[in-house]
């Protein structure tokens, strides 16, 4: 007899949605279901795990009703610190859209600079690896 092993995978959208409901006491599943044009039981089944994953269109409607972009809800579900992420997202959503756009551009610029500096460090030749007192490969010497 062959035994089937079932891997349990969590839907990041549903995980993120659960985190939002946990963090935002003002949101009620019944209200969100109505705003999304869904039956209340549909949303409750998704949140409880009875239904494993919504269709993309359903997830989009729920995201719109909650007031978060679908991609942000998924990111929350994949996050290691969802409560901090939700707090930060709430602050960002309150910003003027123009200011938010500028902040995001600046964040992307900083990220690109960090990646560039990591590439430069990785590409440096390690000539001093065999010399006494030289730092080990991949490590910088304390100054």
């Amino acid at each position: 007899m062959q035994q089937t092993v079932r891997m349990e995978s969590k839907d990041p959208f549903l995980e993120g949605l659960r985190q939002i409901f946990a963090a935002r006491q003002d949101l009620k599943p019944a209200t969100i279901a109505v705003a999304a044009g869904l039956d209340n039981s549909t949303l409750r089944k998704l949140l409880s795990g009875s239904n494993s994953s919504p269709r993309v269109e359903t997830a989009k409607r729920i995201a719109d009703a909650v007031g978060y972009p679908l991609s942000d809800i998924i990111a929350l579900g994949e996050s290691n610190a969802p409560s901090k992420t939700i707090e930060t997202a709430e602050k960002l959503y309150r910003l003027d859209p123009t200011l938010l756009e500028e902040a995001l551009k600046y964040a992307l610029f900083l990220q690109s600079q960090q990646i560039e500096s990591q590439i430069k460090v990785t590409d440096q030749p390690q000539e001093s690896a065999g010399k006494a007192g030289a730092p080990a490969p991949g490590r910088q010497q304390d100054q």
Side-chain angles (χ1 to χ4, degrees):
M1 177 166 54
Q2 185 178 358
Q3 197 175 35
T4 305
V5 176
R6 221 174 102 167
M7 298 284 292
E8 190 173 319
S9 64
K10 295 183 179 183
D11 182 313
F13 170 76
L14 293 177
E15 289 299 311
L17 193 60
R18 287 184 193 105
Q19 292 295 334
I20 290 170
F21 277 113
R24 302 250 332 256
Q25 301 303 313
D26 61 311
L27 295 178
K28 304 292 180 215
T31 307
I32 298 302
V34 169
L38 300 172
D39 185 62
N40 186 27
S41 66
T42 301
L43 185 55
R44 290 207 180 275
K45 287 177 183 176
L46 287 169
L47 292 171
S48 71
S50 297
N51 289 358
S52 60
S53 187
R55 294 188 325 248
V56 173
E57 180 57 35
T58 302
K60 175 77 174 108
R61 289 172 30 200
I62 294 169
D64 289 343
V66 172
Y68 284 78
L70 180 59
S71 59
D72 286 1
I73 297 175
I74 292 169
L76 287 171
E78 295 172 338
S79 173
N80 292 331
S83 60
K84 185 69 175 166
T85 306
I86 291 171
E87 181 183 315
T88 303
E90 289 293 322
K91 289 177 183 175
L92 287 172
Y93 295 147
R94 287 187 220 122
L95 290 177
D96 174 82
T98 305
L99 181 60
L100 178 58
E101 184 178 344
E102 289 300 315
L104 291 173
K105 286 179 185 176
Y106 184 63
L108 289 171
F109 168 76
L110 291 175
Q111 184 180 30
S112 71
Q113 295 301 304
Q114 182 181 18
I115 291 169
E116 243 179 65
S117 69
Q118 289 173 349
I119 291 170
K120 287 178 185 174
V121 168
T122 306
D123 289 344
Q124 288 179 352
Q126 298 175 2
E127 299 167 4
S128 60
K131 296 180 184 175
R139 295 187 183 217
Q140 294 179 353
Q141 191 169 1
D142 294 333
Q143 300 200 17

